């Protein structure tokens, strides 16, 4: 087999066999296939696509390129994954609801990159919280508490790690089969039997249109089912930040409020988090989706999800008194941004809001950056609200005051003010089961 023949076939839109895909993944992971051939291959996939069988084979090979976690000793293992967004703290709320409902949530999460946040960074903003556990500690905690969340181990889908870094610098990220196989290889290797996906569309998401988000959801569901997993997906809006607090510590604080019973006006976070938990309970316990949602709502309202959250944080070394007493560390510098105009905030470029939080220090521009865990933005308006000139729109937080000007400019550039009232985009567009 020669790599040039595989590139040629894909360039002409022909389907590759499972053996050819295995040859590519093996060869690229062990260094026999060079970056320039892998780049040409990824570009051909971007332009020509892949059919279901090719996508399943690519997913399988990337999954098998490293460790596959064995969760077979645990009951009702369930995982969730979001394709990423701004103010997207759903895991911090969904996971404890699911665990309080009797599921085993053994979750490997990522760090933030670019304008999107990551659960591992958020959890590290709780003093003492350990995101690196040994495999034995990880499994034991899930057995005892029902939930453990750790960073991805170095050897989880190493083929994807290498390929993703290459795609990032060759403009080959935005391909549905490449994204689906990248995400699903890691989710399958992490071992859960039920997987619920939150596939985002809109100005703050990878997929800019609902149609593309739905295609991505279908591709991931199909790759998961091909490996015997129970799958469901929500297609949800990222036309606006999901929660009013953006940034690592700020998002944990927001999650705690929701777990204690609050629901920020006009924001989707509580609704989406409860729906995702409902789908997890429904898939794992063979409930109807309505029964799953009712159970999730009951667990959240009764305070059992908050109790489970406290137990989880304590089990991983986090200081629960900080959570209970809301004594999270604060950024030393703050600025309130006033509205430059009167009108309805009819559109928000969510990626720019996320980028403004990054400029304050909340995110990473490169994988090597260390985020400022206290940096971020607190929004003081809801989607499509009417605001008056001079009204406070947001508070910016940072440890470096030199960052405030650029962040304020980027934040304001994200907003469109209109004389006409506008309706927020639908929050949950579709459920695929
Ligand atoms: N997240 C991933 O893990 N992979 C992609 O390709 C895109 C987003």
């Amino acid at each position: 087999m020669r790599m040039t023949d595989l590139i040629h076939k894909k360039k002409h839109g022909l389907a590759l066999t499972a053996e050819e895909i295995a040859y590519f993944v093996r060869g690229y992971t062990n260094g026999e296939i060079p970056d320039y051939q892998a780049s040409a291959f990824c570009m051909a996939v971007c332009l020509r696509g892949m059919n279901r069988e090719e996508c399943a084979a690519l997913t399988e090979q990337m999954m098998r390129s490293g460790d596959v976690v064995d969760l077979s000793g645990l009951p009702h293992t369930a995982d969730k994954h979001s394709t990423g967004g701004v103010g997207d703290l759903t895991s911090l709320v969904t996971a404890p609801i699911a665990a309080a409902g009797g599921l085993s949530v053994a979750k490997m999460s990522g760090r933030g990159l670019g304008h999107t946040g990551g659960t591992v960074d958020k959890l590290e903003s709780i003093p003492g919280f350990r995101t690196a556990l040994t495999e034995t500690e990880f499994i034991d905690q899930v057995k005892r508490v029902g939930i453990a969340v750790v960073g991805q181990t170095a050897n989880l889908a190493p083929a994807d790690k290498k390929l993703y870094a290459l795609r990032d610098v060759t403009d080959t990220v935005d391909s549905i089969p490449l994204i689906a196989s990248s995400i699903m290889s890691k989710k399958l290797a992490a071992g859960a039997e039920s997987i619920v996906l939150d596939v985002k569309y809109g100005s703050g998401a990878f997929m800019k249109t609902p149609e593309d988000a739905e295609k991505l959801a279908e591709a991931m569901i199909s790759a998961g089912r091909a490996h015997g997993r129970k799958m469901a997906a929500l297609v949800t809006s990222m036309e606006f930040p999901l929660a009013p607090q953006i940034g690592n510590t700020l998002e944990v604080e927001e999650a705690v409020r929701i777990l204690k019973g609050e629901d920020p006006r006009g924001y989707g976070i509580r609704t989406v988090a409860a729906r995702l938990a409902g789908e997890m309970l429904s898939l794992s316990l063979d409930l109807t989706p309505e029964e799953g949602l009712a159970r999730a709502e009951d667990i959240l309202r009764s305070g059992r999800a908050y109790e489970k959250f406290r137990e989880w944080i304590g089990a991983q070394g986090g200081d629960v008194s900080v959570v209970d007493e809301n004594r999270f560390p604060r950024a030393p510098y703050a600025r309130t941004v006033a509205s430059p105009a009167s009108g309805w905030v009819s559109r928000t470029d969510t990626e720019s809001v996320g980028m403004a939080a990054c400029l304050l220090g909340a995110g990473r521009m490169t994988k090597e950056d260390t985020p400022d865990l206290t940096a971020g933005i607190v929004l003081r308006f809801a989607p499509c609200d009417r605001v008056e000139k001079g009204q406070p729109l947001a508070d910016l937080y940072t440890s470096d005051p030199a960052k405030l000007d650029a962040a304020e400019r980027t934040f304001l550039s994200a907003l469109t003010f209109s004389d006409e009232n506008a309706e927020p985009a639908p929050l949950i567009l579709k459920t695929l089961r």
Side-chain angles (χ1 to χ4, degrees):
M1 224 176 271
R2 292 186 321 167
M3 191 57 206
T4 44
D5 296 334
L6 269 63
I7 297 169
H8 183 81
K9 247 177 121 173
K10 193 37 68 189
K11 184 174 88 175
H12 289 281
L14 300 174
L16 299 170
T17 64
E19 291 71 34
E20 287 169 327
I21 289 171
Y23 167 80
F24 163 66
V25 175
R26 252 196 323 270
Y28 185 56
T29 312
N30 68 23
E32 281 162 18
I33 293 170
D35 278 351
Y36 53 83
Q37 286 186 319
S39 313
F41 177 80
C42 289
M43 188 56 81
V45 174
C46 277
L47 300 175
R48 290 301 201 158
M50 275 185 159
N51 66 28
R52 232 168 238 234
E53 289 72 32
E54 291 174 285
C55 186
L58 183 58
T59 308
E60 161 131 29
Q61 290 304 322
M62 293 207 294
M63 168 186 86
R64 295 201 187 289
S65 67
D67 299 337
V68 175
V69 183
D70 179 10
L71 299 180
S72 57
L74 298 168
H76 306 304
T77 52
D79 200 352
K80 73 150 281 261
H81 180 81
S82 157
T83 55
V86 177
D88 181 2
L89 52 95
T90 47
S91 288
L92 300 176
V93 178
T94 300
I97 301 176
L103 309 191
S104 298
V105 184
K107 190 162 169 47
M108 291 200 185
S109 288
R111 294 190 180 274
L113 187 65
H115 73 281
T116 64
T119 304
V120 170
D121 294 329
K122 293 172 202 178
L123 287 168
E124 283 180 355
S125 65
I126 303 173
F129 193 95
R130 291 167 59 218
T131 54
L133 302 180
T134 64
E135 192 172 331
T136 312
E137 285 175 325
F138 179 58
I139 303 280
D140 282 355
Q141 184 177 312
V142 181
K143 275 191 188 140
R144 262 186 304 114
V145 183
I147 176 170
V149 180
V150 293
Q152 275 160 21
T153 59
N155 202 34
L156 193 88
D160 174 64
K161 212 162 272 162
K162 203 170 166 195
L163 206 55
Y164 190 80
L166 183 77
R167 288 166 54 214
D168 206 21
V169 291
T170 54
D171 196 27
T172 52
V173 170
D174 61 345
S175 145
I176 287 174
L178 293 182
I179 297 176
S181 55
S182 164
I183 292 175
M184 288 308 296
S185 62
K186 289 173 286 203
K187 287 286 115 181
L188 294 173
E193 62 192 8
S194 303
I195 302 170
V196 175
L197 305 166
D198 181 10
V199 184
K200 307 282 188 196
Y201 78 92
S203 62
F206 273 119
M207 297 290 126
K208 298 301 174 199
T209 66
E211 293 75 24
D212 279 348
E214 194 174 333
K215 278 190 212 148
L216 177 60
E218 278 165 359
M220 289 196 285
I221 285 181
S222 157
R225 289 205 179 124
H227 290 90
R229 309 302 167 94
K230 298 185 202 173
M231 302 290 304
L234 304 183
V235 176
T236 67
S237 167
M238 195 32 72
E239 293 288 19
F240 199 81
L242 197 58
Q245 303 212 150
I246 300 149
N248 297 293
T249 307
L250 291 168
E251 290 185 40
V252 176
E253 197 179 60
E254 184 69 40
V256 170
R257 280 202 200 114
I258 292 164
L259 288 162
K260 285 180 174 172
E262 291 186 26
D263 185 4
R265 179 188 68 84
Y267 286 86
I269 178 62
R270 189 193 180 284
T271 304
V272 174
R275 274 288 296 275
L276 290 168
E279 293 293 333
M280 288 167 82
L281 291 164
S282 155
L283 277 185
S284 295
L285 304 179
D286 287 327
L287 305 173
T288 65
E290 294 73 26
E291 288 166 341
L293 177 59
R295 202 170 288 188
E297 284 286 352
D298 179 51
I299 291 167
L300 188 52
R301 266 196 302 268
S302 67
R304 278 185 286 145
Y306 183 55
E307 275 315 306
K308 185 54 75 179
F309 179 83
R310 296 177 73 254
E311 198 185 345
W312 160 37
I313 299 306
Q316 274 182 253
D319 185 342
V320 180
S321 71
V322 168
V323 173
D324 283 339
E325 296 159 24
N326 195 8
R327 284 189 288 102
F328 289 100
R330 306 270 156 210
Y333 298 93
R335 176 183 292 178
T336 297
V337 180
S339 180
S342 295
W344 277 272
V345 187
S346 58
R347 185 175 181 277
T348 303
D349 178 34
T350 306
E351 184 167 343
S352 295
V353 176
M355 205 35 87
C358 262
L359 289 171
L360 290 164
R364 285 186 181 75
M365 298 302 179
T366 72
K367 284 196 172 121
E368 288 69 40
D369 285 349
T370 307
D372 170 0
L373 296 175
T374 58
I377 302 177
V378 175
L379 298 170
R380 296 221 219 157
F381 66 102
C384 299
D385 266 3
R386 162 120 199 143
V387 297
E388 302 305 325
K389 188 170 176 181
Q391 175 182 330
L393 288 182
D395 299 310
L396 311 183
Y397 293 97
T398 184
S399 299
D400 178 358
K403 292 182 166 163
L404 286 165
D405 287 347
E408 178 172 0
R409 273 195 305 276
T410 302
F411 173 73
L412 285 173
S413 76
L415 308 179
T416 304
F417 297 89
S418 147
D419 292 337
E420 311 258 305
N421 194 350
E423 282 291 304
L427 179 63
I428 301 177
L429 211 60
K430 216 159 189 169
T431 308
L432 286 81
R433 297 187 183 100

